[in-house]
Amino acid sequence: MSGVPDTGATPSAGPDTAEQDTAPQDTAAQAPVGEPAPHAYRPAEPAPLGVPTVPTGDPGVDALLGRLADADHLTTDGHLEVYEDVHRGLRDALTALDARPGPPAPPSAHGHRS
């Protein structure tokens, strides 16, 4: 028999063992390297918008409007190039209209009377 009385209590743990790790654990399953995680964002495939265009009668303008359909087959990051190309072409077509000589302007309503 030892000289220490048995009180039935278990020895208390020291300060190092009493604290438990309270940091949150990442319990999400990790996908194998090279494979996307099951919850990963996947963009939709390109799909036609189905926006109809009406022929204008000007072959150059109609070709530019037809070019808009090219965006239907591209991801959204490719749309900007198509839109800028069409915009530039339409702007050039309008500028060309201003450069063409047209019929003379009608006489001013404020002209001189004889």
Side-chain angles (χ1 to χ4, degrees), residues 9-94:
T10 56
S12 66
D16 293 333
T17 58
E19 294 178 17
Q20 293 189 0
D21 186 7
T22 58
Q25 297 295 320
D26 184 12
T27 58
Q30 298 294 323
V33 175
E35 291 182 25
H39 59 279
Y41 171 75
R42 292 185 189 127
E45 292 294 318
L49 294 176
V51 177
T53 58
V54 178
T56 65
D58 183 299
V61 171
D62 290 343
L64 288 165
L65 293 177
R67 171 122 167 74
L68 289 173
D70 292 348
D72 286 345
H73 309 288
L74 300 171
T75 57
T76 53
D77 61 348
H79 290 189
L80 183 61
E81 182 180 343
V82 173
Y83 296 153
E84 285 180 342
D85 184 45
V86 172
H87 180 260
R88 186 173 28 260
L90 292 173
R91 187 182 58 229
D92 291 348
L94 287 172

